[in-house]
Amino acid sequence: EDQVTQSPEALRLQEGESSSLNCSYTVSGLRGLFWYRQDPGKGPEFLFTLYSAGEEKEKERLKATLTKKESFLHITAPKPEDSATYLCAVPNQAGTALIFGKGTTLSVSS
Amino acid sequence: DTAVSQTPKYLVTQMGNDKSIKCEQNLGHDTMYWYKQDSKKFLKIMFSYNNKELIINETVPNRFSPKSPDKAHLNLHINSLELGDSAVYFCASRQTSGGETSTDTQYFGPGTRLTVL
């Protein structure tokens, strides 16, 4: 069964303290790995798509990387406005929907 | 603004009632989805709908029925509401056909928080 596992469930950082979030997946024939950001009371907001091992994408303080079994979302010198839940997802085998992990809730304090 | 929109934002109702949630996208996408996010924030697919093809998640009770009047709208009807239906429901859309205009990315609406009393 296709699965997506994210760790840690929650992460508390001080402003400027860099860290990484992990997303491991078990799906045959990966057709993309997606990162979303979700703020409280809002819908998931698209961040990145990665397709092949070794691929990296960056946006402001965020950088996403992909290996054959997992993806990392690196957060460099985070600010309080980076506080949110970060969701990782992969398409199901039929390509008809996304399978989401349970997310990592990031809190950045000043 | 181009977006996926949902109405209502909040819905509070009694057990046994029938209710609907509406979704509209003006992105010109051909595929729409309904997801359910439970109290533990876990997002799970309920339905995907591409033109006239409806793909149903087998774990969804048949009290839930999606209805699409046109390509830009996908509504969710729920009959005989139960306490366990309380959750946040998200609509999403994606362009799956059209070669260069297709995309793997799904764009989500703001969600509808359903509370069943």
Side-chain angles (χ1 to χ4, degrees), chain B:
Chain B
D1 290 345
T2 55
V4 181
S5 59
Q6 296 179 226
T7 54
K9 175 74 172 173
Y10 300 97
L11 183 55
V12 181
T13 188
Q14 298 288 328
M15 267 197 311
N17 285 350
D18 303 337
K19 290 293 179 183
S20 295
I21 305 171
K22 296 184 177 181
C23 176
E24 177 181 3
Q25 56 92 5
N26 60 5
L27 297 165
H29 291 168
D30 60 4
T31 302
M32 297 181 73
Y33 306 84
W34 279 109
Y35 287 83
K36 178 180 180 180
Q37 190 170 47
D38 60 25
S39 57
K40 296 183 179 180
K41 305 296 178 70
F42 187 40
L43 259 176
K44 192 170 182 181
I45 183 69
M46 299 178 70
F47 305 101
S48 64
Y49 198 98
N50 178 295
N51 293 322
K52 296 182 180 179
E53 182 182 7
L54 173 64
I55 299 172
I56 300 173
N57 183 315
E58 293 179 358
T59 64
V60 177
N62 58 15
R63 298 181 294 103
F64 291 79
S65 57
K67 287 183 170 51
S68 180
D70 56 57
K71 198 173 79 168
H73 297 84
L74 182 64
N75 303 324
L76 183 65
H77 298 274
I78 316 170
N79 295 323
S80 303
L81 278 156
E82 300 178 356
L83 292 176
D85 298 332
S86 296
V88 182
Y89 293 84
F90 288 99
C91 177
S93 73
R94 173 192 163 203
Q95 180 63 28
T96 59
S97 63
E100 292 183 359
T101 61
S102 67
T103 174
D104 293 328
T105 302
Q106 294 185 21
Y107 295 90
F108 285 78
T112 295
R113 180 175 293 278
L114 171 65
T115 303
V116 182
L117 304 175

Side-chain angles (χ1 to χ4, degrees), chain A residues 57-70:
Chain A
K57 288 194 176 173
E58 291 188 56
K59 181 180 180 179
E60 296 181 353
R61 294 175 293 282
L62 300 176
K63 182 169 81 173
T65 62
L66 182 66
T67 72
K68 288 185 177 180
K69 293 185 178 182
E70 58 192 349

Side-chain angles (χ1 to χ4, degrees), chain A:
Chain A
E1 182 180 340
D2 297 340
Q3 283 197 335
V4 178
T5 304
Q6 292 187 246
S7 63
E9 287 188 17
L11 181 61
R12 291 183 178 273
L13 299 174
Q14 292 290 319
E15 185 172 3
E17 180 186 1
S18 301
S19 189
S20 296
L21 283 55
N22 177 264
C23 171
S24 62
Y25 58 90
T26 55
V27 59
S28 56
L30 181 69
R31 290 184 289 177
L33 185 139
F34 299 81
W35 282 99
Y36 285 84
R37 169 186 171 135
Q38 186 175 22
D39 292 298
K42 296 190 176 181
E45 176 188 351
F46 171 71
L47 291 174
F48 306 108
T49 310
L50 302 166
Y51 288 101
S52 55
E55 187 176 359
E56 297 183 354
K57 288 194 176 173
E58 291 188 56
K59 181 180 180 179
E60 296 181 353
R61 294 175 293 282
L62 300 176
K63 182 169 81 173
T65 62
L66 182 66
T67 72
K68 288 185 177 180
K69 293 185 178 182
E70 58 192 349
S71 176
F72 293 92
L73 185 64
H74 307 277
I75 303 176
T76 302
K79 297 182 177 181
E81 52 262 42
D82 295 322
S83 298
T85 296
Y86 291 86
L87 300 167
C88 168
V90 299
N92 61 6
Q93 288 200 8
T96 54
L98 290 175
I99 303 169
F100 280 87
K102 294 186 177 180
T104 294
T105 299
L106 173 66
S107 299
V108 182
S109 54
S110 56

